[in-house]
Amino acid sequence: MHASHITVAAFAIIAAPAAAQDYPASPPPAPMLPYAPVYDDAPADVFAGPRIEIHGGWDHVGVRLKNSYTEAGQVSTASVKGRDDGITYGGSLGWDIALTPTLIAGVEAGIEDSSIRECSEVFGLDEACIKAGRTVEVGGRLGQALSSRVMVYARAAYVNSRVKANYVDFEGILDNESAKANVDGVRLGAGFEAAVTPNLYLKGEYRYTDYNNYSLTTNYSDGSSDRTTLSLDRHQILGGIGLRF
């Protein structure tokens, strides 16, 4: 090999490490992190789609039951008025759509039950009891996404609740009676929904329900009649957990 060729080769070998030092080594790969939700869509899209949830919480019912018994022109009146607290529990199905990047609208239907039972003495030792039964509702809501994790909303619904009543005469003068009736009402509420993952959410909600007065008149063969009027209102504070598909 010619001397000049040897010199050039030696210079290249010596210079190669030095040239490599002019460029920093590639950074090490980032460590794997635990799973965390990533929301690339508009905030409203996070809260859109079909969903199913369960909920439960505090139930407060105000009730007034008035009974008028008419016989031979004489009217006897008795009333029960009270408020009672209990626990409500149930579930619902819903579907929400994104109207704008932050505005959400949806429809939902649900069913719930309650532990509330109110009793009171009337006509001496007689006792009248009222039990709150199942409630079904159909309604809608309008929400505002504050971020890709939190939405606040207002809701309205039609509700139909079952009320069970019984009357016990411990003196044996009147017959014991029991009845159940369905009462309609309007429910208003507001709440928030927090996305835990893209499919799992938690919620909190306040509801107020106003029921139409319910009246029932029974006419007997002896000419007497019995009229019962029931008035109800309701307050609820709920928490829930749901899945969005």
Side-chain angles (χ1 to χ4, degrees):
M1 180 180 292
H2 195 277
S4 62
H5 293 168
I6 296 174
T7 302
V8 172
F11 180 81
I13 294 172
I14 294 172
Q21 293 177 4
D22 293 338
Y23 300 96
S26 299
M32 297 298 291
L33 299 176
Y35 169 78
V38 177
Y39 303 114
D40 295 326
D41 299 330
D45 292 334
V46 177
F47 303 98
R51 58 186 172 85
I52 184 172
E53 71 178 44
I54 57 174
H55 55 255
W58 173 69
D59 196 10
H60 178 83
V61 174
V63 59
R64 182 180 181 185
L65 181 65
K66 182 178 180 181
N67 180 265
S68 299
Y69 180 74
T70 303
E71 183 178 17
Q74 300 294 319
V75 180
S76 300
T77 302
S79 62
V80 178
K81 183 179 181 180
R83 295 186 176 272
D84 200 8
D85 298 321
I87 296 174
T88 183
Y89 47 90
S92 63
L93 299 171
W95 193 305
D96 300 299
I97 60 173
L99 301 179
T100 72
T102 60
L103 189 64
I104 303 100
V107 294
E108 57 188 341
I111 186 169
E112 64 191 40
D113 206 344
S114 177
S115 66
I116 288 181
R117 184 174 184 268
E118 176 72 15
C119 294
S120 179
E121 291 185 356
V122 294
F123 291 134
L125 298 178
D126 297 356
E127 182 182 66
C129 294
I130 299 175
K131 169 72 171 66
R134 65 101 185 103
T135 295
V136 294
E137 68 166 2
V138 177
R141 67 178 186 171
L142 188 65
Q144 176 72 35
L146 303 181
S147 70
S148 59
R149 298 292 184 91
V150 179
M151 174 183 70
V152 294
Y153 61 86
R155 67 190 303 270
Y158 157 81
V159 298
N160 178 272
S161 296
R162 178 164 294 170
V163 180
K164 302 176 182 179
N166 66 289
Y167 182 91
V168 180
D169 182 2
F170 293 101
E171 298 175 335
I173 300 175
L174 299 176
D175 295 333
N176 296 336
E177 296 183 4
S178 63
K180 58 184 179 182
N182 295 332
V183 292
D184 299 325
V186 175
R187 173 171 287 173
L188 302 176
F192 73 91
E193 190 174 299
V196 180
T197 74
N199 301 105
L200 181 69
Y201 66 87
L202 301 176
K203 67 176 289 184
E205 186 174 294
Y206 165 76
R207 298 174 172 182
Y208 170 74
T209 309
D210 183 26
Y211 294 93
N212 298 326
N213 290 342
Y214 173 81
S215 296
L216 175 65
T217 300
T218 304
N219 297 312
Y220 301 102
S221 58
D222 61 359
S224 62
S225 64
D226 189 61
R227 179 177 176 82
T228 301
T229 302
L230 176 67
S231 301
L232 290 170
D233 64 359
R234 195 171 208 164
H235 299 268
Q236 296 172 313
I237 298 178
L238 308 176
I241 183 171
L243 290 174
R244 195 179 300 280
F245 305 99

